Amino acid sequence: MSTTPRRVTGDARRWKALSHPLRQEILGHLSEHEAATSTTIAEALGQNTGTTSYHLRVLADAGIIEEVTERAHGRERWWRTIAVDLREPDYDSLSPEDRAALDEWRAGQIPGELALVNRFVRDVRKHGGWAKASRASGYYTAEDLDAFFDEYSELLAKYGHGRRDAPPGARLMQLRMFYIPDEPAEPEP
């Protein structure tokens, strides 16, 4: 069974929710565990439960996590990540507030993305068929790229699995795709 992510277009509220460093740690913890409470997250991350409860509610309000109601006992609330296809909207169509929030989120992602690239370069040989790369260039229209991106996202959903439905032998993988027009490098000042 493959993952069927709920498609969500990011807005300022979601980008702000995702850009907070502690919320990113919380999401990482939830990704590693099937479900967690504010108490278990607080213990794992060295925070107090009031802080983690607040940040969990922000993530839930942004549609990034959900409560696991069948595990609730009294005031104890369990949370889990949900499959979300959180796409960046067309930047030119965003309000100044949404642009600022998206820029803040992107800036926060850079160190992790660079670390991932560096880990790929360093460790690619030790992972055999679990690590591959591809590079391409060609001439595309904006419509071609929109269609390509949609089909790429569909392939991720078709072949990917959530933690709860992953078959034996499946591993959590990090996949990235981006494209940008080819332009001559700007001269260094």
Side-chain angles (χ1 to χ4, degrees), residues 130 161 165-171:
W130 289 96
H161 302 277
D165 69 346
R171 295 174 70 179

Side-chain angles (χ1 to χ4, degrees), residues 37-150:
T37 66
S38 63
T39 302
T40 59
I41 293 170
E43 290 170 358
L45 302 181
Q47 299 290 323
N48 68 58
T49 57
T51 299
T52 55
S53 290
Y54 167 77
H55 289 292
L56 285 164
R57 285 190 307 276
V58 171
L59 290 168
D61 289 344
I64 299 162
I65 65 170
E66 67 183 1
E67 188 173 356
V68 186
T69 54
E70 61 271 15
R71 289 186 73 174
H73 301 293
R75 295 184 60 190
E76 181 181 72
R77 298 172 78 181
W78 287 81
W79 301 92
R80 67 180 167 214
T81 58
I82 52 178
V84 175
D85 175 0
L86 186 61
R87 297 187 187 198
E88 292 185 16
D90 176 44
Y91 195 77
D92 293 334
S93 71
L94 298 177
S95 70
E97 179 188 23
D98 285 351
R99 285 182 183 184
L102 178 56
D103 289 343
E104 181 181 351
W105 176 79
R106 281 182 179 157
Q109 298 303 300
I110 292 170
E113 296 300 306
L114 292 175
L116 188 62
V117 168
N118 288 328
R119 187 167 66 85
F120 177 83
V121 170
R122 184 187 67 234
D123 296 343
V124 66
R125 300 237 185 278
K126 80 178 191 181
H127 294 292
W130 289 96
K132 294 189 189 303
S134 173
R135 288 163 192 80
S137 63
Y139 291 85
Y140 301 87
T141 65
E143 293 79 17
D144 292 339
L145 292 171
D146 285 343
F148 176 78
F149 189 78
D150 287 342

